[in-house]
Every structure is written in C-alpha cells, then in structure tokens.
Amino acid sequence: GEDVEQSLFLSVREGDSSVINCTYTDSSSTYLYWYKQEPGAGLQLLTYIFSNMDMKQDQRLTVLLNKKDKHLSLRIADTQTGDSAIYFCADLTGGFKTIFGAGTRLFVKA
Amino acid sequence: DSGVTQTPKHLITATGQRVTLRCSPRSGDLSVYWYQQSLDQGLQFLIQYYNGEERAKGNILERFSAQQFPDLHSELNLSSLELGDSALYFCASSVAPISGNTIYFGEGSWLTVV
C-alpha cells in the first residue's frame, strides 16, 4: 500500500540550514505537503508542492521534489530555536487519501 | 486557531469502555478526516468523510466507527477500549476531499485508557 517514510530525528545548530527528507511510494501522488507540529498543538500546514513541480520556495522554506526517485525534501534556511518541532511529510495519493509520514523531530541547538 | 474544534481535549477512561470524540470542521469545509497519533505508530489515517458520506478508509479498527452528520460535524466512536488505544486523536477538515491546498487540523483529543 501507500507509504511515506521520514527519518525520526534531526539536530542542527541555530543559524545553520536544516534539511528534512521524505520518501513516498505512491505513483499517483497529486500533492505533497509539509506540516509542522509544535508541542501540545495540532499540525499546521507549512507548504505544499504540486506533483508536476520540482521546487517551491517560500521565504526560509525550500521544497524540492524528485518525482523519479519519489523523494521530497524541506530545507529551512537560518534555522531558529522556534523552528524546533515535529515536521510531517504527507502525500495526497491517487486514491484521495492523505498519508502522513511518522514525523521528523527537529532539535535546534542555540 | 485553525477553526477546527475538537471535544473533549482530554479524556481518561477504563479498558472495555466506549467513548465518543466530537469534531466541528471549519466553516464551509465539507470534508472531515480522523487521524490517530501515538508514540509508536506516528500519525495514522483512520477515515475520511465528505458531505456526510464515507470517502476513504485507512487503518481504522473494527471497534472504531465514525460518522458525519448533516450539519457536517463528525463523531469518532471508540469501543471496547484497550490500553493500546491511548493516543492523540486528530480531526481535520478541508473544503473538498481532494483539495490541493490545506487540511486544517484541530488541536486533538488526548485519550488515556487505564
């Protein structure tokens, strides 16, 4: 079935760039998303990319999509302590289900 | 505030019991989703409704059921509860079932089964 995989942890220093990676299996994905979950809160959409795009930039966020390898990444430039959170990759599949990865916990060291 | 309202925020109940989690979607959103987030299994898609009809089904146990009412609010019923059902249950909504934009999440209902 459809699956989305992410590494569980990432630790970076404040001011560095963070790159969170995700792989998915569905061949009919239409949209791919990045969500952020802060402690005690629900998920909030950060950004999304349509499957026919390679890249999308939104201020400090850059999303790269390699559709051939089914690989999605989120780059956060100039990472701040406020960026510490769990980041979820999600895939809107051809079967109209949104499948989430397990989430990558980002630790930002001051 | 996403506009998606979930109640109750916290719930503690005993094994074998039944609980109902309630969700009010954002105004204008026709599609409602339920997700379960646990430490060992991450975020699992349970079920999706669109305008009262079941649209997609994920890893929802037979002990669990859901429905979406004519006023578009939704309820997730969890019965014969087990310790392993302890988790954070999220409701989310979107305008359409295949919206390319945003699924808005509520803040979740924490269920603890003791």
Side-chain angles (χ1 to χ4, degrees):
Chain A
E2 304 104 346
D3 194 20
V4 174
E5 291 193 354
Q6 307 176 234
S7 53
L8 293 181
F9 298 100
L10 176 65
S11 181
V12 300
R13 291 191 182 279
E14 192 173 24
D16 288 351
S17 291
S18 307
V19 179
I20 303 171
N21 294 301
C22 168
T23 57
Y24 59 97
T25 58
D26 182 50
S27 301
S28 307
S29 297
T30 52
Y31 290 87
L32 293 129
Y33 307 84
W34 285 103
Y35 282 82
K36 177 182 181 183
Q37 184 183 25
E38 294 182 351
L43 281 70
Q44 288 186 296
L45 180 71
L46 278 182
T47 186
Y48 67 95
I49 188 167
F50 188 47
S51 59
N52 69 353
M53 297 169 63
D54 298 324
M55 187 183 89
K56 181 177 179 181
Q57 188 144 2
D58 184 2
Q59 299 183 345
R60 294 191 297 122
L61 305 178
T62 303
V63 178
L64 294 178
L65 176 60
N66 181 329
K67 200 171 179 183
K68 175 175 169 289
D69 294 338
K70 297 192 179 79
H71 182 267
L72 182 75
S73 69
L74 173 70
R75 179 176 179 269
I76 305 172
D78 186 25
T79 312
Q80 302 298 306
T81 53
D83 295 323
S84 293
I86 304 175
Y87 291 81
F88 290 91
C89 168
D91 167 27
L92 178 62
T93 72
F96 310 137
K97 287 189 284 188
T98 302
I99 307 296
F100 283 80
T104 299
R105 190 178 291 272
L106 175 64
F107 296 95
V108 182
K109 295 175 284 190
Chain B
D1 182 7
S2 67
V4 178
T5 305
Q6 290 187 246
T7 56
K9 291 199 186 312
H10 298 92
L11 188 58
I12 301 174
T13 190
T15 53
Q17 295 298 305
R18 171 191 168 93
V19 298
T20 298
L21 308 180
R22 195 178 189 280
C23 170
S24 294
R26 284 190 334 143
S27 177
D29 283 359
L30 299 178
S31 201
V32 168
Y33 311 75
W34 286 98
Y35 289 87
Q36 180 195 56
Q37 185 178 29
S38 58
L39 282 175
D40 58 345
Q41 297 216 348
L43 194 63
Q44 298 279 321
F45 168 69
L46 295 178
I47 198 163
Q48 178 193 354
Y49 283 85
Y50 176 68
N51 205 19
E53 301 284 328
E54 183 182 302
R55 181 75 183 201
K57 212 164 185 174
N59 300 322
I60 188 165
L61 299 171
E62 284 191 13
R63 299 183 287 109
F64 296 179
S65 65
Q67 59 185 129
Q68 186 180 26
F69 296 88
D71 67 353
L72 302 177
H73 91 271
S74 179
E75 292 180 355
L76 178 67
N77 301 296
L78 315 173
S79 62
S80 302
L81 285 166
E82 302 174 0
L83 296 177
D85 298 327
S86 295
L88 182 56
Y89 291 85
F90 283 113
C91 173
S93 72
S94 67
V95 170
I98 53 171
S99 167
N101 291 326
T102 303
I103 296 178
Y104 293 89
F105 280 78
E107 296 198 347
S109 292
W110 278 102
L111 174 65
T112 303
V113 183
V114 297

